[in-house]
Amino acid sequence: LAKTTQPISMDSYEGQEVNITCSHNNIATNDYITWYQQFPSQGPRFIIQGYKTKVTNEVASLFIPADRKSSTLSLPRVSLSDTAVYYCLVGDGTSGTYKYIFGTGTRLKVLA
Amino acid sequence: ETGVTQTPRHLVMGMTNKKSLKCEQHLGHNAMYWYKQSAKKPLELMFVYNFKEQTENNSVPSRFSPECPNSSHLFLHLHTLQPEDSALYLCASSPQNPGGDYEQYFGPGTRLTVT
């Protein structure tokens, strides 16, 4: 099973750029890297997904180095509403069914 | 609104009760999932269905019984639960599984309390 390691918590101020790094040293060749956001008592919400290099969408960027052993989620100019738990996921497809393995995530707190 | 609905949103049940959780997705997806999220613990995958067939049972106790009558509906039947089963139960769907590049769409969850 691929495992991910990310900081337990981070604080930031409104308007700042936030970078959350995730380690996944045992990532398999066909694994994608996916990030989800979760607010209290809600289901996780997809943010971004990538395989290598850089991916950007309307809410975030994802940077993946060539060795793919880590990835960095970048949130530009965060606001108070970005306070949430962010999960870095690397799937496991060894059993034939692709499974996301959720870790404890990074609890981001955005301060005014 | 993710296109995945769950009912009820809150449920309190005694250990001898039988209840069911319902999930419905309006996204045309073919894979559906049940997850459990206990307080201060990561989400745990429970079951996976692909085209109505169960493809994953993550060593879940038999007091949890899933049912997938079609690709749009997923149920979780509960009986003789324990207090430690109190958690947020989340349903999700994706276009199909396997497929590692597919995002999963989660419902809002059912907050279950077992007394």
Side-chain angles (χ1 to χ4, degrees):
Chain A
L1 292 179
K3 292 185 178 180
T4 60
T5 303
Q6 52 184 125
I8 294 174
S9 64
M10 295 180 68
D11 288 347
S12 181
Y13 288 93
E14 280 191 294
Q16 289 189 331
E17 179 184 76
V18 171
N19 296 309
I20 306 175
T21 297
C22 178
S23 298
H24 26 79
N25 293 316
N26 298 321
I27 189 170
T29 303
N30 59 346
D31 284 342
Y32 283 74
I33 300 157
T34 310
W35 286 79
Y36 278 82
Q37 175 194 56
Q38 186 179 25
F39 298 111
S41 296
Q42 294 186 25
R45 184 173 71 104
F46 174 87
I47 300 175
I48 198 166
Q49 185 180 70
Y51 184 79
K52 61 181 178 180
T53 63
K54 177 183 174 183
V55 180
T56 298
N57 62 22
E58 63 275 9
V59 298
S61 294
L62 179 59
F63 299 91
I64 305 169
D67 66 5
R68 303 197 334 117
K69 293 184 182 300
S70 67
S71 59
T72 299
L73 174 72
S74 180
L75 304 173
R77 298 181 297 281
V78 293
S79 64
L80 295 175
S81 62
D82 293 317
T83 294
V85 178
Y86 292 82
Y87 295 97
C88 164
L89 306 175
V90 175
D92 172 27
T94 54
S95 70
T97 297
Y98 201 83
K99 296 177 284 190
Y100 284 137
I101 309 301
F102 281 82
T104 54
T106 297
R107 190 171 298 274
L108 173 66
K109 185 174 182 180
V110 179
L111 307 169
Chain B
E1 184 59 50
T2 63
V4 181
T5 59
Q6 291 187 243
T7 54
R9 294 294 308 277
H10 300 272
L11 178 64
V12 179
M13 60 184 289
M15 289 189 284
T16 58
N17 291 160
K18 290 184 179 181
K19 296 286 185 183
S20 296
L21 310 184
K22 179 182 177 182
C23 175
E24 183 174 2
Q25 56 95 1
H26 310 273
L27 302 168
H29 290 167
N30 294 298
M32 297 189 77
Y33 311 77
W34 279 117
Y35 286 86
K36 174 185 178 183
Q37 187 171 33
S38 303
K40 302 190 186 301
K41 291 179 68 175
L43 275 81
E44 303 171 59
L45 179 65
M46 301 174 71
F47 302 102
V48 181
Y49 279 81
N50 194 43
F51 291 93
K52 303 189 300 177
E53 298 298 319
Q54 186 182 117
T55 59
E56 185 77 16
N57 177 336
N58 197 25
S59 302
V60 180
S62 59
R63 57 186 184 269
F64 296 92
S65 175
E67 178 189 2
C68 188
N70 55 61
S71 292
S72 299
H73 294 86
L74 185 65
F75 295 89
L76 188 62
H77 304 299
L78 316 171
H79 64 95
T80 59
L81 295 190
Q82 305 299 311
E84 59 265 29
D85 296 321
S86 297
L88 182 67
Y89 288 85
L90 292 157
C91 174
S93 72
S94 68
Q96 64 183 64
N97 190 319
D101 57 341
Y102 294 130
E103 67 178 270
Q104 292 183 10
Y105 292 78
F106 283 82
T110 295
R111 174 70 62 186
L112 173 67
T113 303
V114 181
T115 60

